[in-house]
């Protein structure tokens, strides 16, 4: 396989940040694209401090190109999702807090399933895909010592 990866990042003095990346993969296995191998991955991240009190907001956009299912019977569509995080880190404290929303717009998407030979042999069922979580929330507390 061949590929290319590009990343650009810009940080400003006020703490704002913008980062974009792209990874392109040109894979071939016996003249065919291997299963679960997207041709492209893209990501765009932006962060912005909210005043001087230690608050920071960040938005991440991720995109994944279509992939082939391991069963070789289906093409699993590409998708894009957005994640948002609001964090608080006091300047002289050894701790921080954050709240994140993953899959902000509740996008329904699937990932390819690996070949499950035991399930297929026992039931004749070929599983092509796994549905991924919709919108999820995470609260995080970190202490440094």
């Amino acid at each position: 396989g061949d590929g290319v990866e590009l990343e650009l990042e810009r940080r400003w003095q006020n703490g704002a940040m913008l980062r974009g990346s792209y990874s392109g993969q040109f894979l071939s296995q016996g003249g065919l694209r291997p299963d679960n191998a997207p041709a492209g991955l893209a990501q765009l991240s932006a962060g912005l401090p909210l005043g001087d009190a230690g608050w920071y907001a960040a938005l991440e956009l991720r995109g994944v190109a279509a992939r082939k299912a391991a069963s070789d019977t289906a093409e699993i569509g590409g998708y894009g999702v957005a994640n948002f995080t609001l964090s608080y880190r006091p300047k002289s404290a050894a701790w921080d807090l954050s709240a994140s929303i993953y899959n902000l717009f509740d996008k329904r998407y699937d990932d390819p399933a690996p070949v499950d030979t035991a399930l297929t042999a026992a039931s004749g069922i070929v599983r092509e895909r796994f549905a991924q979580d919709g919108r999820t929330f995470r609260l995080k507390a970190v202490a440094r010592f």
Side-chain angles (χ1 to χ4, degrees):
D2 294 311
V4 63
E5 188 170 327
L6 304 168
E7 182 174 333
L8 296 171
E9 182 175 324
R10 171 78 161 106
R11 291 185 180 269
W12 286 267
Q13 287 183 348
N14 69 353
M17 179 274 302
L18 182 63
R19 178 186 316 129
S21 65
Y22 174 79
S23 175
Q25 305 174 79
F26 311 102
L27 304 172
S28 178
Q29 186 176 24
L32 301 171
R33 190 176 76 205
D35 56 302
N36 200 9
L41 304 167
Q43 183 171 327
L44 181 65
S45 302
L48 183 65
L50 304 174
D52 293 330
W55 290 95
Y56 195 81
L59 179 67
E60 173 191 56
L61 305 173
R62 292 186 307 118
V64 177
R67 292 157 293 164
K68 186 174 74 168
S71 64
D72 204 21
T73 59
E75 182 89 357
I76 308 300
Y79 64 88
V81 295
N83 304 317
F84 177 76
T85 299
L86 181 63
S87 59
Y88 177 65
R89 179 183 288 179
K91 290 189 185 214
S92 61
W95 57 272
D96 59 77
L97 302 171
S98 65
S100 299
I101 304 172
Y102 293 93
N103 196 352
L104 183 63
F105 301 110
D106 201 23
K107 169 79 174 165
R108 299 294 173 195
Y109 66 98
D110 299 321
D111 277 334
V115 174
D116 189 342
T117 54
L119 176 65
T120 302
S123 66
I125 296 171
V126 176
R127 177 165 259 192
E128 297 173 337
R129 62 188 77 219
F130 286 117
Q132 297 302 298
D133 291 336
R135 186 180 301 118
T136 57
F137 302 90
R138 179 181 78 179
L139 298 175
K140 180 178 166 184
V142 175
R144 290 175 291 284
F145 49 93

